[in-house]
Amino acid sequence: QFSIEGADLARLERWTAIIRDRLAGLSVLTDVTAERDQNGLSAHLAIDRATAGRLGVSPRAIDETLYSAFGQRQVATLYGPFSQTRLVLEADPAHRSDPAALARLPVAAGDGRTVPLSVVTILETRPTPVQISHRNQMPSMTIGFNPAAGITLGSAMAAIEATVREAGLPGDLVLRFAGEAKAAARAIDAQLWMLIGAIVAVYLVLGMLYESYAHPLTILSTIPSSGIGALVALMLTGVEFSLVAMIGLILLIGMVMKNAIMMVDFALVAERQLGLEPRAAIALAARRRFRPITMTTLAAVCGALPLAIGLGTGSELRQPLGIAIVGGLLLAQLVTLYTTPVVYLAVDRLRGRGRPRWLAADQPAE
């Protein structure tokens, strides 16, 4: 759902109908409905200015009569020994049950007499909404919709926003998503921050583990390859990038970085204990850790295959997760064995390994 809010109810109803008709013609949406139930009735009193002027009945007198009959006019207060009671003036219940009772209300004329309200007013009955919803203290109209088959909620929301812009919705009317659409909009806005937060958290943990600002960058360099692999897999299978696929990308951060962690750990041990140069140490790490890296990757891929194939009830919800994990792991397996040594040597060069070997081995780099 989404709602359109505005102070002018008639203007709001007119633009709600315009937006609804435009959205009904979109192929990405189905079941477009608007909250415009006009099955209610309302009574409208129009003052007959000519007759009221001839009889000396002022508009103020008509307002006072209506307020006295249907309002909350306090006319007196009765004081008792321990309490007080307020007296409120209103019309007799027998004259409040139907609109025809309006005609019998007496209105004070200019010469002190009273005339029936029907003499100086014209009563009209008009259709009106059964209820008028309000949001943020403003009248609002709700439009409901469903995405068409194969269309994600995010794509449907983008199409709605584009259609509203093309229609030229006035500035005094505000569009707000509600229901599942509102939850999806919040999730879409939070996706980037979720990914950034995950990367920052991993960097801090790795920085404390290695007592270095540089080595975590080597490990984090594996993330782009896994993300590219996940996106390529989703594109090849024709699956939309959804919130579930985003969760798969966050899971890939931990799954793929273990490849670099195993190589960097081995290379650091080879440098500090065996006295190898960085190039020789990372090359030895790539050869020695190739088998455990492959085994763990294959185990993770086999675990995600049932999700990617889409077996069982509700598989269409889990399928983007499995496809993203499988694609990211496979490409990361092929790429990180070559890119991680390159990044390791580049970071080592930037750290300035011109210091004595014993100092580099005994003291953590800044």
Side-chain angles (χ1 to χ4, degrees):
Q1 295 180 343
F2 68 91
S3 64
I4 303 177
E5 306 169 13
D8 189 339
L9 183 59
R11 185 183 180 90
L12 178 63
E13 292 179 350
R14 183 172 67 254
W15 274 98
T16 300
I18 293 174
I19 298 300
R20 179 204 57 191
D21 295 341
R22 285 177 174 260
L23 295 181
L26 297 180
S27 59
V28 297
L29 300 179
T30 61
D31 306 325
V32 179
T33 58
E35 182 188 23
R36 296 184 70 248
D37 188 358
Q38 299 285 340
N39 294 330
L41 294 176
S42 61
H44 293 257
L45 280 177
I47 299 176
D48 185 349
R49 299 284 178 173
T51 305
R54 186 174 68 252
L55 297 177
V57 179
S58 65
R60 178 179 177 84
I62 297 176
D63 291 341
E64 293 289 340
T65 299
L66 292 174
Y67 185 72
S68 298
F70 304 103
Q72 294 291 323
R73 184 183 299 279
Q74 180 181 339
V75 295
T77 303
L78 300 180
Y79 295 94
F82 304 103
S83 64
Q84 58 184 12
T85 304
R86 294 179 175 86
L87 298 183
V88 177
L89 177 65
E90 64 178 15
D92 188 273
H95 299 286
R96 295 164 55 94
S97 58
D98 60 89
L102 291 172
R104 298 189 291 269
L105 290 176
V107 182
D111 55 1
R113 297 180 301 170
T114 60
V115 297
L117 185 64
S118 59
V119 175
V120 292
T121 59
I122 301 173
L123 179 63
E124 297 180 359
T125 302
R126 304 175 186 174
T128 191
V130 175
Q131 65 178 9
I132 300 176
S133 302
H134 288 75
R135 293 189 62 185
N136 302 320
Q137 300 182 352
M138 300 280 284
S140 67
M141 302 293 289
T142 302
I143 297 180
F145 66 94
N146 283 320
I151 303 299
T152 62
L153 184 56
S155 300
M157 293 167 59
I160 291 173
E161 292 176 342
T163 303
V164 171
R165 285 194 301 268
E166 294 174 0
L169 187 69
D172 59 335
L173 299 180
V174 181
L175 184 146
R176 301 180 191 274
F177 285 102
E180 293 183 8
K182 182 178 180 180
R186 289 180 176 178
I188 292 173
D189 294 338
Q191 283 182 3
L192 179 61
W193 295 108
M194 289 169 55
L195 184 59
I196 294 176
I199 294 175
V200 171
V202 169
Y203 178 83
L204 294 176
V205 172
L206 293 175
M208 290 185 290
L209 175 64
Y210 291 110
E211 298 181 354
S212 170
Y213 298 113
H215 287 309
L217 297 178
T218 304
I219 297 172
L220 290 175
S221 66
T222 60
I223 295 178
S225 61
S226 63
I228 294 174
L231 295 178
V232 170
L234 291 172
M235 292 176 61
L236 292 178
T237 55
V239 177
E240 292 283 346
F241 183 80
S242 61
L243 179 61
V244 177
M246 184 66 184
I247 296 175
L249 289 183
I250 297 177
L251 292 176
L252 281 173
I253 294 177
M255 291 181 174
V256 173
M257 284 194 309
K258 50 87 181 173
N259 298 348
I261 290 175
M262 285 192 284
M263 285 193 289
V264 170
D265 280 344
F266 191 94
L268 291 176
V269 172
E271 284 189 55
R272 294 169 180 173
Q273 297 183 3
L274 302 180
L276 297 179
E277 293 294 327
R279 181 182 295 273
I282 194 63
L284 180 63
R287 292 193 300 268
R288 293 288 182 86
R289 294 305 182 194
F290 173 76
R291 181 179 295 177
I293 288 175
T294 302
M295 292 175 62
T296 54
T297 300
L298 289 178
V301 169
C302 292
L305 273 179
L307 298 176
I309 296 174
L311 301 177
T313 305
S315 59
E316 65 278 359
L317 178 64
R318 301 186 297 268
Q319 194 172 26
L321 175 64
I323 293 175
I325 292 176
V326 172
L329 288 175
L330 291 179
L331 185 62
Q333 174 70 17
L334 297 175
V335 174
T336 55
L337 289 174
Y338 299 96
T339 59
T340 301
V342 175
V343 177
Y344 181 88
L345 294 177
V347 170
D348 178 80
R349 200 172 293 116
L350 291 176
R351 293 172 64 226
R353 285 301 186 92
R355 296 176 297 174
R357 299 302 302 165
W358 62 270
L359 183 61
D362 294 339
Q363 295 185 2
E366 293 295 334

